[in-house]
Amino acid sequence: MKNKVLIKILQVMVAAVLVFSLYGCGAQKSARSETSTANQAAKSEGMMMDTATGTAVREEVARPESPNVNTDVGYNRKMIKTGELQLQTKDFKKSVEDIVAKVQSLEGYVENSNIQGSNFYNNYQNTRSASLVVRIPQKHFDAFINQSSEFGNVVYTTSNSTDITSEYVDTEIRLKSLKTRHERLLVLLEQTGSLKDLFTIEQELGQVTYEIEKLSGTLQQYDQLVDMSTINISIEEVFKIEESRPIITFGDKINDTFKESIKGLKRLLEGFVLIIVAVIPFLILIVPSAIIIIVLSKRFKKNSKVKAQRSEEDK
């Protein structure tokens, strides 16, 4: 009887292990599919997957130096220069501090900054990033853009020049005309003796003064935009730097395939261990329950035999 009981317990345990193994394999296959999909999406966006955390991070690749850009205009024009710069770096803190120090050394300033740190409660957000809006004198615009590789890997740069010479000249002409009109109204205000004319001139003088202040503010804004160029800077932290390989040889393919096989074997072993760990809590519940059921079944059969024997004796 003891052997039968042990056999039944083993059968229950094996059945439970098979069920949860199939469940674990399905979960692992699903996770592997999601990881593969994430890898493909990451590669299409020029990113890499961190196998330790499963996080998609942009891969920092050493590229040839970017060509220098010259946006200077050789004649007198009113130009508003704006630029955009995206960087990747392994030393996030140093890159941000170096950029701020460089901007200040060029007599510029940081107009706006947004820094996002890592999230300890979210494994999928373990990199830092920063967005800076800096203003630097226009004479240093090209030098700053062309030297941006000092702060990290340059993903891309853009520069735009907007010619506002016509708008600036038109505003100057209108302002000059309004100032002349303002002086004439002041002369008329001193010469008039009628209260009605005085009220009309003062009302018109107030409107002209308002327009003069408005156009003066517009010219000041133009001057600020022309004198101080605007650059939007995005900084992203990455974990790995890989040199670009323009030619992939057959040996490189063998090496990459072998590395991928090792990684696959490692993931398989990790998945097997995780399945065993996942099954243990269920076995803790199933085994005692199976033992109780078997003991109760054994007692029930024993009681049934006793009752049957008594009934035969009574006959």
Side-chain angles (χ1 to χ4, degrees):
M1 291 297 294
K2 290 182 178 180
N3 291 333
K4 292 182 178 180
V5 171
L6 291 175
I7 292 173
K8 290 183 178 180
I9 293 174
L10 290 174
Q11 289 175 347
V12 173
M13 292 177 63
V14 170
V17 170
L18 288 175
V19 171
F20 291 108
S21 295
L22 291 174
Y23 171 79
C25 289
Q28 184 182 4
K29 184 177 180 181
S30 176
R32 195 176 301 149
S33 176
E34 292 177 0
T35 303
S36 177
T37 303
N39 276 324
Q40 292 177 358
K43 288 180 180 178
S44 65
E45 297 179 5
M47 302 178 72
M48 59 171 284
M49 293 296 295
D50 187 353
T51 55
T53 61
T55 305
V57 294
R58 193 174 296 277
E59 192 172 7
E60 188 169 356
V61 180
R63 296 190 180 96
E65 293 184 2
S66 301
N68 291 335
V69 177
N70 185 1
T71 61
D72 289 337
V73 179
Y75 45 92
N76 187 20
R77 306 292 293 179
K78 294 290 184 181
M79 308 293 293
I80 298 177
K81 292 186 178 181
T82 59
E84 188 171 353
L85 176 63
Q86 183 176 350
L87 299 171
Q88 295 173 335
T89 177
K90 290 180 64 178
D91 195 341
F92 179 80
K93 182 175 181 293
K94 183 177 183 300
S95 295
V96 174
E97 292 177 349
D98 287 349
I99 289 174
V100 174
K102 183 67 173 180
V103 169
Q104 292 175 346
S105 69
L106 297 176
E107 299 179 351
Y109 61 93
V110 178
E111 186 176 65
N112 187 21
S113 65
N114 180 15
I115 298 177
Q116 296 181 349
S118 57
N119 190 340
F120 291 110
Y121 302 101
N122 186 357
N123 292 331
Y124 297 97
Q125 187 181 348
N126 56 359
T127 57
R128 294 171 291 179
S129 61
S131 298
L132 304 176
V133 180
V134 301
R135 303 290 301 277
I136 60 174
Q138 188 181 118
K139 59 184 179 181
H140 300 306
F141 177 83
D142 291 340
F144 185 87
I145 293 293
N146 294 331
Q147 297 172 7
S148 57
S149 58
E150 298 177 0
F151 314 120
N153 179 58
V154 179
V155 179
Y156 72 84
T157 61
T158 60
S159 58
N160 299 298
S161 298
T162 304
D163 190 350
I164 60 166
T165 305
S166 298
E167 292 87 343
Y168 194 93
V169 172
D170 290 344
T171 304
E172 280 186 324
I173 293 173
R174 290 176 57 195
L175 181 60
K176 184 177 181 180
S177 176
L178 285 172
K179 287 182 177 180
T180 302
R181 186 178 179 185
H182 184 270
E183 293 176 358
R184 291 177 181 176
L185 288 173
L186 289 176
V187 173
L188 290 175
L189 186 65
E190 293 178 356
Q191 294 176 353
T192 186
S194 172
L195 292 176
K196 182 178 179 181
D197 294 340
L198 181 65
F199 176 77
T200 302
I201 293 173
E202 287 182 345
Q203 188 176 13
E204 188 174 356
L205 188 62
Q207 183 65 28
V208 171
T209 303
Y210 170 77
E211 292 293 334
I212 290 175
E213 293 177 351
K214 183 179 178 180
L215 293 178
S216 298
T218 300
L219 287 178
Q220 289 179 359
Q221 185 179 10
Y222 282 159
D223 288 334
Q224 291 176 357
L225 292 173
V226 170
D227 294 339
M228 302 293 289
S229 57
T230 304
I231 302 178
N232 297 304
I233 305 174
S234 300
I235 309 166
E236 183 180 12
E237 183 181 30
V238 294
F239 296 120
K240 187 177 181 181
I241 299 177
E242 286 190 359
E243 294 183 357
S244 59
R245 293 181 297 176
I247 300 176
I248 300 177
T249 64
F250 183 68
D252 294 332
K253 294 180 180 179
I254 293 176
N255 187 30
D256 293 340
T257 303
F258 181 75
K259 289 180 179 179
E260 289 298 325
S261 299
I262 295 298
K263 291 179 181 178
L265 179 61
K266 181 181 177 182
R267 288 194 295 266
L268 181 62
L269 294 176
E270 289 176 351
F272 181 72
V273 173
L274 291 176
I275 291 173
I276 294 175
V277 173
V279 169
I280 289 175
F282 295 96
L283 291 179
I284 293 174
L285 295 176
I286 293 173
V287 171
S289 300
I291 293 174
I292 292 173
I293 292 172
I294 293 171
V295 171
L296 292 176
S297 176
K298 182 179 177 182
R299 289 182 179 179
F300 178 77
K301 290 180 179 179
K302 185 177 180 181
N303 292 333
S304 299
K305 289 181 179 180
V306 171
K307 290 180 179 179
Q309 290 177 357
R310 288 179 180 178
S311 61
E312 289 178 358
E313 291 176 356
D314 292 339
K315 291 180 180 180

